[in-house]
Amino acid sequence: MLIEEVPLPKKFITLYKSVGVRELYPPQEQLVESGILEEKKNMVLCTPTASGKTFAAEILMAKALDEGKKAVYVVPLRALAYEKFREFHKYEDIGLKVRLEMGDMDSSRYKNRLDFDLLVTTAEKCDSILRSRPEWFQNTGVLVMDEVHLIASDRGPVYEILVSKFQMLFGDLQVLALSATIGNAGELAHWLNAGLLLSDWRPVELIEEVEVGRDKYGKLKKLVQDSVSEGGQVLVFVNSRKSSESVAEKLGEELKLVEEGQREDLELVGEDILSALSTPTTQCRKLRDCIISGTAFHHAGVTNKQRILVEDAFKEGLVKVIVATPTLAAGVNLPSRTVIVRDVQRYGEGELDYIPVLEYKQQVGRAGRPKYDTYGKAILLARTDSEREFFIEKYVNGEVEAIYSRLGVEPVLRFHMLASIASGFTRTENALMEFFRSTFFGHQYGLEGFEAQLKKILNRLEGSGFIKQESRFLIPTALGRRVSELYIDPRTAENYITILGKAEEENRFPVLGLLEMLCDSSELSLLHVKRQDEQMLWEEAYHSSEKLFRDLDGFDLDPRFLERFKTARLLEFWINEVSEDTIMESYNVAPGILYQKLQIAEWLVYSSAELSKLLGFKNSLKEMKRLETRIKYGVKDELLPLVSIKGIGRVRARKLWNEGFKSISDLKKADIRKLKSLVGEKTAEGIKEEINKK
Ligand SMILES: Nc1ncnc2c1ncn2[C@@H]1O[C@H](COP(=O)(O)OP(=O)(O)OP(=O)(O)O)[C@@H](O)[C@H]1O
Ligand SMILES: [Mg+2]
């Protein structure tokens, strides 16, 4: 079907032509012919990787937008959100408002109404907006759920909750669920009361092979060399961060990957990699060295900013090889003609497990994307002939697994139960039951025996003061509503309220104790404590027992205390201005992981300040607010006035302070030349401009 034949207004057709779409891919055509544009039904689109599911969704969104309705496009990962947002930006040219929303989980903080026609958002952010500002989604015509197989992942429950809420709140909404890899797409379609479009058409042929090499690295190196010498780029998947670094390093050292004339550009990317952190760490330097030799590694320990730099350099053809852990797998479009899967085994709970077929198919699906290549090649490495046979059967010819809901566990249930009561969405026990019946969990497992579990959770929520139960009615308290808006686990809030109450009563706010309290949450993953370190940590804890809120000899001290204490120590390092490199070395954490922890800690400390405010704990509020800024910037108390100025972070603030500029008025009086010599020309001017406004 030619693009002109799609029943959409001319402005959309012209726009699509301007970005190079001439005709529809067969699955897109099937979608149009299914009558979805006229009938307003839901649809599950289960077609291979790279088969153009995004554009299929765009056709449906365009129809809704044309009718003056909104479209919401939900993705599971930030990287994907950026990619989609960039892709959808073109709609601004025809006067539509395209927005990207992620991050900040307290959506009640918005000052203005979020004004959009097309919104790209992560699942959690979307749920957060639904909790405090559901009215912003009024008049939504289409809800697209990308990579919907992730319902079966640990972040999956929020996905199904979203769909159920949207469907209950906005009756005539169309849901479009997209995935390349669902074994039970029929079941999903049944749940959504949707049509099902299945296809195995792929615009670019993907050849999947299994190759044998007793020396896996030797084989891999040869394959990379061949592909690059034919002008291709390669993505290698391995099962650990350590391997991704060592393989990238070795390939960079042993192969000639840099083209004439690209060295300078690579050096520039390398510089950006180093300046992503205020002081570059060992890992940053390693990544820079890889980059200038034409390779890169990509894993959760690499910061977001650096990951984007790596992906962009790969897209520009500068970096020839990325060695990644599966964090890179879902949905992204990269010019990787060849994908090599080195490992299909991964350490699970202490032992090696085979990864699901679904994951393998997502990884190899990054090869041969129509924007970049005319064919794709996926090579899975085996050690022996018999392993090869096994891999062909299990992975190449294997069926992807069915997906199952993961909503039915208590921490997840209490989180979403409170939310649904707090936003006034379910006002009775029956309504709550109905709501859970409407989820994928309810559809798959039924609700037999669920009532007892529900009752237990409701009682606990009431015990914590988050809801009231009056006969069958469920009434949120102001506190319960706030906890839900803050997007934290009710159990976390309960923990915080207990300690904050104690601190307020005793009028005692030791920082280490407060940090240990913050770690008492399901949101922050705690540092692991090795057996041999236990003794030393206990000693440290006893030594600081005055600064803690727990009774270290109490029989009720829980087994995770030591992990919390260790994690609190890390946060303490951070706010005492210990350098990032030292923190990472002392605690053996990678930059990406450190920043992730700090970001979560910032959200938790904000939440505890908000709880203090609501509960009227005046001193706690003051202390938590101060701690919030300290965590945000990683500084001691004395630097707080300086970091309030835009452009001044922990390093610059310390430098200024040491030179005697300790307050805003010091800076006002400061000679601009002196400032320039301390923080650089641009920043110095920025500072002057900024403080003149104050
Ligand atoms: N009709 C079309 N004509 C030309 N190119 C198209 C068309 N439809 C999609 N494409 C291009 O195909 C590429 C792959 O599309 P897309 O990212 O939507 O794949 P997908 O089906 O979502 O795959 P995955 O399951 O891996 O996410 C994109 O670069 C897109 O621009
Ligand atoms: Mg996709």
Side-chain angles (χ1 to χ4, degrees):
M1 184 185 277
L2 292 175
I3 190 73
E4 289 86 355
E5 296 170 70
V6 180
L8 284 174
K10 195 139 190 279
K11 61 178 179 186
F12 287 100
I13 305 293
T14 315
L15 183 68
Y16 296 147
K17 278 166 113 175
S18 77
V19 293
V21 183
R22 301 265 163 266
E23 59 184 315
L24 297 192
Y25 284 169
Q28 295 162 351
E29 187 171 334
Q30 274 172 277
L31 186 76
V32 172
E33 282 171 353
S34 74
I36 191 171
L37 295 180
E38 296 82 33
E39 263 183 68
K40 306 250 146 109
K41 57 184 178 195
N42 298 337
M43 189 66 90
V44 173
L45 188 58
C46 189
T47 65
T49 51
S51 61
K53 290 184 286 296
T54 317
F55 188 65
E58 286 184 61
I59 298 175
L60 192 62
M61 294 197 291
K63 178 81 183 169
L65 292 168
D66 180 51
E67 289 168 3
K69 295 195 171 143
K70 294 176 198 278
V72 178
Y73 194 102
V74 183
V75 293
L77 302 167
R78 276 163 178 252
L80 210 50
Y82 282 121
E83 188 176 302
K84 296 305 165 203
F85 178 63
R86 279 189 212 167
E87 232 168 302
F88 298 159
H89 207 74
K90 58 181 181 267
Y91 292 97
E92 294 265 339
D93 294 349
I94 54 170
L96 294 166
K97 288 181 219 101
V98 185
R99 297 282 176 270
L100 170 68
E101 284 298 313
M102 43 191 200
D104 189 357
M105 296 315 291
D106 180 6
S107 298
S108 70
R109 269 205 275 196
Y110 282 95
K111 290 208 179 71
N112 301 314
R113 187 186 172 91
L114 184 67
D115 195 13
F116 69 91
D117 295 302
L118 202 177
L119 177 71
V120 179
T121 175
T122 56
E124 284 79 5
K125 181 66 196 181
C126 188
D127 185 32
S128 148
I129 300 177
L130 266 181
R131 288 180 181 202
S132 30
R133 301 279 191 256
E135 67 280 5
W136 290 353
F137 289 119
Q138 231 152 28
N139 199 27
T140 298
V142 176
L143 172 70
V144 182
M145 309 293 290
D146 200 1
E147 306 295 339
V148 75
H149 54 271
L150 287 167
I151 276 194
S153 74
D154 54 353
R155 289 174 54 213
V158 61
Y159 248 68
E160 45 177 305
I161 287 284
L162 264 189
V163 184
S164 291
K165 277 192 187 167
F166 262 101
Q167 283 187 315
M168 281 197 174
L169 287 170
F170 314 106
D172 63 347
L173 164 109
Q174 261 179 307
V175 179
L176 181 64
L178 312 176
S179 173
T181 49
I182 305 185
N184 54 342
E187 191 178 12
L188 195 78
H190 194 232
W191 164 53
L192 290 171
N193 192 16
L196 173 61
L197 203 160
L198 289 171
S199 161
D200 52 19
W201 182 87
R202 203 177 190 275
V204 171
E205 190 192 4
L206 178 64
I207 307 153
E208 286 179 65
E209 287 171 356
V210 182
E211 295 216 9
V212 182
R214 241 159 262 282
D215 163 23
K216 266 197 182 179
Y217 175 74
K219 186 87 195 168
L220 190 147
K221 184 172 138 189
K222 168 106 186 34
L223 290 167
V224 170
Q225 188 163 32
D226 290 350
S227 184
V228 174
S229 64
E230 287 163 18
Q233 285 171 265
V234 189
L235 190 59
V236 182
F237 283 104
V238 296
N239 62 2
S240 74
R241 287 190 218 157
K242 216 166 143 188
S243 298
S244 84
E245 293 183 12
S246 62
V247 173
E249 270 183 314
K250 261 175 104 173
L251 290 173
E253 279 163 20
E254 297 172 12
L255 295 176
K256 270 202 148 16
L257 298 168
V258 180
E259 275 175 48
E260 277 309 310
Q262 292 193 330
R263 196 163 300 277
E264 271 179 28
D265 290 338
L266 284 167
E267 299 265 356
L268 288 177
V269 179
E271 273 170 37
D272 289 344
I273 293 280
L274 287 186
S275 57
L277 271 72
S278 52
T279 41
T281 65
T282 317
Q283 186 189 282
C284 300
R285 282 188 287 272
K286 215 189 248 183
L287 184 55
R288 190 267 321 262
D289 291 349
C290 283
I291 297 263
I292 53 181
S293 63
T295 67
F297 51 88
H298 189 293
H299 58 62
V302 178
T303 66
N304 282 334
K305 203 163 157 192
Q306 292 173 332
R307 273 190 258 174
I308 293 172
L309 285 168
V310 165
E311 286 167 28
D312 287 348
F314 192 65
K315 283 182 191 166
E316 286 166 31
L318 293 170
V319 164
K320 298 288 187 260
V321 188
I322 296 184
V323 187
T325 56
T327 41
L328 191 63
V332 288
N333 279 295
L334 291 171
S336 35
R337 187 183 301 163
T338 308
V339 166
I340 302 174
V341 180
R342 192 195 70 172
D343 309 313
V344 280
Q345 281 183 302
R346 177 173 57 209
Y347 280 96
E349 280 153 16
E351 55 187 86
L352 274 175
D353 292 330
Y354 281 104
I355 62 168
V357 182
L358 182 156
E359 253 180 56
Y360 161 80
K361 292 286 179 194
Q362 284 294 342
Q363 292 176 3
V364 300
R366 294 320 105 205
R369 308 289 292 189
K371 202 162 148 191
Y372 300 105
D373 286 300
T374 48
Y375 71 95
K377 203 165 173 190
I379 303 156
L380 170 56
L381 296 184
R383 274 216 172 79
T384 59
D385 288 329
S386 67
E387 198 175 50
R388 177 171 181 271
E389 294 302 304
F390 171 60
F391 284 172
I392 291 180
E393 195 184 312
K394 180 168 170 71
Y395 289 107
V396 178
N397 300 328
E399 297 286 322
V400 289
E401 295 80 4
I403 57 167
Y404 293 97
S405 167
R406 293 178 60 171
L407 181 61
V409 292
E410 191 185 320
V412 179
L413 285 171
R414 67 179 177 235
F415 182 62
H416 290 294
M417 259 185 211
L418 176 62
S420 124
I421 299 166
S423 51
F425 185 64
T426 48
R427 293 175 201 279
T428 62
E429 245 175 72
N430 281 344
L432 197 58
M433 283 293 277
E434 267 323 294
F435 174 59
F436 280 102
R437 205 184 304 284
S438 78
T439 61
F440 191 47
F441 164 71
H443 182 82
Q444 276 194 314
Y445 296 106
L447 291 190
E448 209 164 311
F450 186 65
E451 206 157 348
Q453 193 177 10
L454 179 128
K455 196 81 210 154
K456 194 175 132 221
I457 299 175
L458 287 178
N459 289 342
R460 176 92 189 228
L461 289 174
E462 182 168 35
S464 319
F466 299 154
I467 64 165
K468 279 191 271 184
Q469 303 185 74
E470 287 172 13
S471 67
R472 309 263 308 167
F473 285 100
L474 304 169
I475 304 151
T477 61
L479 184 61
R481 272 205 296 271
R482 197 70 190 108
V483 170
S484 162
E485 282 173 353
L486 292 169
Y487 215 77
I488 54 175
D489 181 356
R491 187 68 55 85
T492 301
E494 204 181 293
N495 296 340
Y496 288 5
I497 291 167
T498 312
I499 303 288
L500 290 170
K502 200 166 165 182
E504 185 77 15
E505 197 183 303
E506 298 170 6
N507 199 16
R508 196 168 71 87
F509 301 94
V511 168
L512 185 63
L514 295 175
L515 293 174
E516 192 272 340
M517 170 195 84
L518 290 180
C519 295
D520 196 4
S521 74
S522 50
E523 286 81 1
L524 193 67
S525 59
L526 300 177
L527 294 171
H528 175 68
V529 175
K530 286 199 194 117
R531 253 254 154 76
Q532 66 262 34
D533 296 338
E534 284 183 9
Q535 179 67 20
M536 182 195 67
L537 277 168
W538 275 121
E539 277 169 26
E540 273 184 44
Y542 271 101
H543 191 71
S544 345
S545 63
E546 296 282 285
K547 296 184 199 151
L548 297 169
F549 289 101
R550 321 259 174 203
D551 174 5
L552 296 186
D553 298 313
F555 65 90
D556 55 351
L557 190 71
D558 63 283
R560 301 208 68 185
F561 168 75
L562 221 49
E563 290 165 89
R564 286 203 303 272
F565 182 71
K566 184 175 172 187
T567 314
R569 276 283 201 219
L570 175 148
L571 295 174
E572 193 183 39
F573 263 36
W574 168 250
I575 61 173
N576 281 335
E577 296 173 40
V578 175
S579 79
E580 278 108 312
D581 218 11
T582 311
I583 301 179
M584 289 177 219
E585 228 162 81
S586 320
Y587 289 93
N588 194 20
V589 289
I593 303 292
L594 175 67
Y595 288 115
Q596 197 185 24
K597 283 197 195 310
L598 294 175
Q599 208 177 11
I600 294 175
E602 201 186 318
W603 160 46
L604 291 172
V605 71
Y606 164 78
S607 298
S608 61
E610 288 299 299
L611 291 173
S612 307
K613 193 191 287 175
L614 193 76
L615 293 163
F617 297 164
K618 286 208 179 78
N619 294 331
S620 299
L621 173 60
K622 213 168 72 213
E623 297 295 332
M624 296 321 288
K625 276 285 162 207
R626 197 209 312 264
L627 192 55
E628 187 187 342
T629 320
R630 288 189 63 188
I631 292 181
K632 182 166 180 194
Y633 294 100
V635 292
K636 293 184 186 164
D637 265 336
E638 63 210 28
L639 294 189
L640 292 179
L642 294 179
V643 291
S644 73
I645 300 165
K646 220 167 102 190
I648 303 190
R650 64 194 310 234
V651 176
R652 284 179 179 147
R654 179 48 65 197
K655 229 179 184 174
L656 290 168
W657 204 91
N658 288 346
E659 289 291 323
F661 303 108
K662 300 184 177 178
S663 64
I664 294 185
S665 65
D666 288 344
L667 287 174
K668 266 194 178 148
K669 284 181 259 159
D671 174 21
I672 182 87
R673 275 167 306 182
K674 173 80 183 161
L675 281 187
K676 281 182 181 171
S677 73
L678 282 173
V679 295
E681 197 143 329
K682 247 182 157 170
T683 313
E685 277 163 12
I687 292 173
K688 278 287 186 191
E689 201 176 307
E690 173 84 13
I691 44 180
N692 284 336
K693 277 192 248 155
K694 288 199 178 210

